[in-house]
Amino acid sequence: MAGFLLRRIGGIAVTLLVTSFLVFGSVHLAPGDPASFLLGGRSASPAAVAAIKEQYHLDDPFLVQYTKWIGGVVTGDFGKSATFRQDVGGLIAARLPTTLLLIGYAGVLILVGGLAFGALAALRRGVVDRAVLVGTGIATATPSFVAAIGLISLFAVRLGWFPAFGNGGGFGDRIYHLTLPAAALALTFVGLLARVTRTSMLEELGREHVEVARSRGVPGSDVVRRHVLRNALGPITTVTGTVVAGLLVATSIVETAFGLSGVGQLLVSSVTVKDFPVVQAVSLLVVLAFVTANLVVDLVHPLIDPRLSHAKGGKA
Amino acid sequence: MTTRLLEIENLTVRLAAGQAARPIIDGVSLHVEHGEAVGLVGESGSGKSVTCRSVLGLFPEGAEAAGGLRVDGADILTMSPTRLRDLRRRDASMIFQDPRASINPLRRIGDFVTEGLRASGVSRKGALDRAEELLESVGIRAPRAALRRYPHEFSGGMLQRVMIAGALAGGPRLLLADEPTTALDVTTQAEVVSILTRLQAERDMGMLFVTHDLELAAAICDRVYVMYAGRIVEAQSAEGLFSRPRHPYTSGLLAATPRLESDRPPHGVPGRPVSLSEAPSGCAFAARCAHARPGCTEHEPGLREIDGAQVACLRAEELIHD
Ligand SMILES: Nc1ncnc2c1ncn2[C@@H]1O[C@H](COP(=O)(O)OP(=O)(O)O)[C@@H](O)[C@H]1O
Ligand code: SF4
Ligand SMILES: [Mg+2]
């Protein structure tokens, strides 16, 4: 088990290193002179240009630039943002709580909604199942900015139940402010998870041990919980892991739409003004989120299915 | 006389209307007395499992059942769902063919054995103690530790013992064993059969033993029913069946069993078994029967009593003197 963890963490380090190189490389391959972007298009004195080039090591060869950057990254120094004239690490740290809260909130909505609708469809074949299929089809196909506009016009403008803008202060108020953004963020993925849950449960419903449990007088609700849902958890966990990691990317649209100052919005604004150090750091964060989610899913799977356990047992 | 433990009278099971409402078993009658071992034999697809499962009120989805079906006098077909659950927990239980598919691979052995007990309201501790005794009685070593292990850590034979322990947990009077040894290798088969018959005798349970192996059925059962294409074609005592089979299908099955004293390979019943829905009019066995006459495809032979045996063959009397 310890060996497994060490190998996985080593693998993650290598993955991060390779992607950091790709991220850095692609940002530098973007057309245009980095110095003029960093100056924000203003015409500047040759001295100012020289200072910028000096600060971002722009005259160094590519590999030297990368080495200097990654050397900073491993010590937690992501460089300075050109637009904010601030440490990138501080910029992100200030916005991370809002984004994490939003992702957590949306994650709960996705899990509860996805499992509930998926289970409902699997267990109530016929009209309910078809209604859920249509509903999840629409949800999955709705882009989050469309969901955001719809939710704002209905719940914020027309009904006035929720605010359409801003972060709010204090935990309760923040949650209140994040309700519509979380719903907009969750919608697509509720549909996705509901479908995965439905398919996985239908497959398990056809298994022999489910029939055997019924033949032994186990009540229907226990059969569903302990035999159907329990055994359907594998695919559900895999999809949930990927979805939650992907939410970090999806927040960029939703945070912008709802005027939340989070990491997603920071990414969008930094891409627009070509604030390379920020874009690089957030991209690395996204990669980190995916590999971490993957690791967590891989650690959870043996808990769900003992046959995947890393500790080997002999046969009796 | 007291009521019979299991009484099936003229049971017909029809599939849902969407599937042309075709019957899969037709007019099946059989009974099991308290403490009696009864065999139900036939080739694959003859309707043995459908018959066996119907005793617990388990029918294919949307299927319709007609006839009489009573366990200890209680009518399964009209029973409330709550009463049926009680019956499944306490009065009658089933051992299935493939233990690896029948026991949830993700849950512990203890969870499987105690499942019915827990559903009946027995405490966790009480159920686990009971499960330990049960595992010991089916010959599982270190039963306490076994309760915490998972199915994939056991061999097929050991898992079938676990299944038997689970079936005995509620203290049933009727045991339904649906090909309990078919999925196992020969040595393991013998062990499982001896455990099953020992426990059946010790606990004085009635048992309906389903198998495609006529010789095995005759060895452990008091009486044997032979089933073909969804109908019972012969019923008599195990010895009678073995020494004087009345139905040509039974003779064919006997010839198909490998014999220790013979060097000849078993020649089997020629032809392919048919299911009830494919069966032609008249005798369903006619296409494979060496004794078939033109009349055989005209009338469906009903069960008739001949010398204490029941036979559904138009020529049963003549063939005795074959
Ligand atoms: N759930 C079901 N749906 C449709 N047909 C079924 C179902 N169960 C059994 N049958 C049909 O009933 C017949 C008897 O099956 P079964 O009782 O399983 O045979 P056996 O156990 O003797 O091999 C077969 O023709 C099979 O196709
Ligand atoms: S009724 Fe005719 S076809 Fe059927 S078993 Fe008897 S002899 Fe054979
Ligand atoms: Mg069968």
Side-chain angles (χ1 to χ4, degrees), chain A residues 142-157:
Chain A
T142 309
S144 52
F145 69 90
V146 174
I149 293 168
L151 288 170
I152 289 173
S153 64
L154 181 61
F155 291 104
V157 178

Side-chain angles (χ1 to χ4, degrees), chain B residues 49 97 178-179:
Chain B
S49 295
Q97 176 172 346
D178 188 359
E179 310 215 28

Side-chain angles (χ1 to χ4, degrees), chain A residues 211 216-217 227 231 316, chain B residues 53 88-89 104 112 115 153:
Chain A
E211 167 101 341
R216 306 175 78 206
H227 290 268
N231 290 45
Chain B
R53 283 169 190 237
R88 290 172 180 177
R89 285 175 201 158
N104 189 340
F112 174 79
E115 193 165 38
E153 300 172 62

Side-chain angles (χ1 to χ4, degrees), chain A residues 224-291:
Chain A
V224 168
R225 252 183 323 124
R226 305 213 177 106
H227 290 268
V228 182
L229 194 55
R230 169 77 179 74
N231 290 45
L233 283 182
I236 293 174
T237 311
T238 307
V239 170
T240 306
T242 319
V243 161
V244 169
L247 285 181
L248 188 53
V249 180
T251 52
S252 53
I253 290 160
V254 171
E255 285 179 359
T256 310
F258 286 91
L260 297 169
S261 83
V263 177
Q265 193 206 38
L266 179 66
L267 177 65
V268 172
S269 59
S270 307
V271 167
T272 324
V273 301
K274 304 233 163 39
D275 193 346
F276 300 141
V278 178
V279 175
Q280 285 163 1
V282 176
S283 304
L284 266 191
L285 196 63
V286 170
V287 175
L288 181 67
F290 272 101
V291 291

Side-chain angles (χ1 to χ4, degrees), chain A residues 207-209 211-220 222 226-227 230-231 304-307 313-316, chain B residues 53 56 58 85 88-89 96 101-107 112-113 115 119 149-150 152-155 158 166:
Chain A
R207 298 240 187 260
E208 179 90 2
H209 63 83
E211 167 101 341
V212 171
R214 285 206 189 96
S215 85
R216 306 175 78 206
V218 178
D222 285 354
R226 305 213 177 106
H227 290 268
R230 169 77 179 74
N231 290 45
I304 295 172
D305 189 342
R307 289 169 297 181
K315 289 209 171 204
Chain B
R53 283 169 190 237
L56 291 176
L58 295 164
R85 269 209 302 275
R88 290 172 180 177
R89 285 175 201 158
F96 293 80
S102 305
I103 299 178
N104 189 340
L106 307 193
R107 302 181 69 215
F112 174 79
V113 180
E115 193 165 38
R149 301 176 75 176
Y150 287 98
H152 72 273
E153 300 172 62
F154 291 80
S155 65
M158 284 298 150

Side-chain angles (χ1 to χ4, degrees), chain B residues 201-222:
Chain B
E202 273 175 21
R203 292 168 187 240
D204 198 30
M205 294 179 291
M207 174 163 75
L208 183 62
F209 190 90
V210 174
T211 175
H212 59 262
D213 184 344
L214 187 53
E215 194 155 12
L216 178 61
I220 63 180
C221 297
D222 307 312

